[in-house]
Amino acid sequence: MESVAEILQREAVYLWYYFDLQIRQIFWYWLFGILGGSLISVFLKGKLHEWCRRAGEKLSGPAGWLGAAVAGIVSPLCMYGTVPIAASFSQKGIRDDFLAAFMVCSVLLNPQLVIYSTALGPVLLPVRIAGCFFCGILAGFLVRVFYVRAGRTFFCFGEMAAAENRDTDPDPARRLLKNIWRNVRATGPMFLLGIVLSVLFQRYVPADAFASLFGRNEGFGVLLAAGMGVPLYVCGGGTIPLMIQWLHDGMSAGAAAAFMLSGPATKITNLGALKTALPVKHFTLYLGYIILFSLLCGFLVNSIFS
């Protein structure tokens, strides 16, 4: 019979093996995401937001929603930075339907997360991007139909001021390095936490049990994944290692799609930022819309890839 020390030593070897494997699989995606996001934030952020403002003034209908969705995805700001930017757009006369498409896509995806998500493979990366696009465009359409055409406002920004720009160092190289370091501090702990959780999951959760929940019963798996996204999603980079393991253990593509949509859209920090721009009724409508869209997207993805 093994002693306690031998059991602990054996488990430590297993856990280190899984940890090393996970790090080697995902680290470079995280690193390239940090670099790509910092480059965009330091050198292109102002141009992107100016392009979004001009597009909102000149484009109309589907073209405007599409342009706003693209701008939301490529914007490197977190939601606490996006809301003041949207407020400044609103003060310049940009309609609420364009702002809805911009903000929904911004909360769901950003350049760093796009790069991180390449680790999920050639199927789920386009699924994530397409789901984000359609979610933002449909949000713009619905706000246009039920609010803009009726002469009602959807957002309530008040006198919200634009977020302070922290990339102000006159030396571009130092400015970039400072931004990279801020991104490492912001995402690094959650990235490592995601690795640790995936290691524990891989070692101690039976793959068959997981597959029975999220794979074999695809309808229930989508419902469960959309619900899990609400309390479990903390950081986009931190969930990638977990999702890789879940997919390996049998999670369906539709369940993964539902989790990737409901998670960032209902992350507590993002909800806190959005609540500053939405009355209670509209905030409730946003939550209902996101959950419903996540479910429908998950069922559609399963019907395509099953």
Side-chain angles (χ1 to χ4, degrees):
M1 179 178 292
E2 288 183 297
S3 65
V4 173
E6 289 172 332
I7 293 174
L8 292 176
Q9 183 178 17
R10 185 194 65 212
E11 290 303 306
V13 170
Y14 276 119
L15 292 175
W16 175 252
Y17 168 78
Y18 290 131
F19 183 84
D20 179 65
L21 185 64
Q22 292 276 5
I23 283 288
R24 286 189 282 111
Q25 285 179 336
I26 195 69
F27 174 78
W28 294 108
Y29 295 101
W30 175 73
L31 180 61
F32 291 141
I34 292 288
L35 294 175
S38 293
L39 286 168
I40 292 172
S41 181
V42 170
F43 299 112
L44 296 177
K45 178 171 61 180
K47 294 179 180 178
L48 288 172
H49 292 152
E50 178 62 18
W51 174 83
C52 181
R53 183 188 65 79
R54 292 181 179 178
E57 293 174 345
K58 297 178 180 179
L59 299 178
S60 61
W65 304 328
L66 178 61
V70 172
I73 290 174
V74 300
S75 173
L77 295 176
C78 69
M79 188 48 53
Y80 278 99
T82 296
V83 171
I85 289 293
S88 70
F89 290 163
S90 179
Q91 292 164 7
K92 291 179 173 66
I94 306 301
R95 294 201 318 252
D96 278 5
D97 52 331
F98 295 153
L99 295 178
F102 172 74
M103 292 178 69
V104 166
C105 285
S106 183
V107 77
L108 290 176
L109 208 55
N110 59 53
Q112 288 179 224
L113 193 51
V114 170
I115 298 174
Y116 295 158
S117 299
T118 57
L120 297 175
V123 171
L124 282 181
L125 175 61
V127 163
R128 182 166 213 170
I129 295 173
C132 173
F133 266 119
F134 284 113
C135 191
I137 291 171
L138 181 58
F141 169 77
L142 293 174
V143 170
R144 174 68 181 274
V145 170
F146 293 104
Y147 286 89
V148 175
R149 285 183 180 174
R152 297 184 296 164
T153 59
F154 187 77
F155 295 101
C156 182
F157 293 108
E159 300 298 322
M160 193 175 297
E164 179 184 357
N165 184 7
R166 293 186 289 176
D167 296 315
T168 56
D169 195 297
D171 183 358
R174 284 204 304 266
R175 194 160 69 242
L176 178 62
L177 289 174
K178 288 179 179 179
N179 191 280
I180 290 172
W181 177 238
R182 281 201 303 271
N183 279 329
V184 169
R185 286 189 302 171
T187 64
M190 289 301 168
F191 172 75
L192 287 176
L193 177 61
I195 293 286
V196 170
L197 290 176
S198 67
V199 167
L200 296 174
F201 190 93
Q202 189 171 7
R203 177 60 181 157
Y204 298 115
V205 177
D208 287 345
F210 190 85
S212 67
L213 286 175
F214 291 96
R216 296 176 193 135
N217 189 339
E218 293 183 347
F220 178 73
V222 171
L223 289 169
L224 186 58
M228 281 174 54
V230 177
L232 291 185
Y233 198 100
V234 178
C235 170
T239 57
I240 297 296
L242 277 171
M243 290 190 63
I244 291 174
Q245 186 57 44
W246 291 346
L247 290 164
H248 179 268
D249 286 342
M251 175 181 261
S252 68
F259 182 82
M260 288 189 293
L261 287 167
S262 70
T266 58
K267 188 171 73 168
I268 190 65
T269 53
N270 288 338
L271 291 180
L274 285 169
K275 184 61 184 69
T276 63
L278 292 173
V280 174
K281 178 183 176 181
H282 298 172
F283 184 73
T284 304
L285 288 173
Y286 164 80
L287 289 176
Y289 168 73
I290 288 296
I291 297 299
L292 181 60
F293 186 90
S294 301
L295 292 172
L296 293 176
C297 183
F299 292 136
L300 177 62
V301 169
N302 270 349
S303 69
I304 294 173
F305 293 102
S306 60

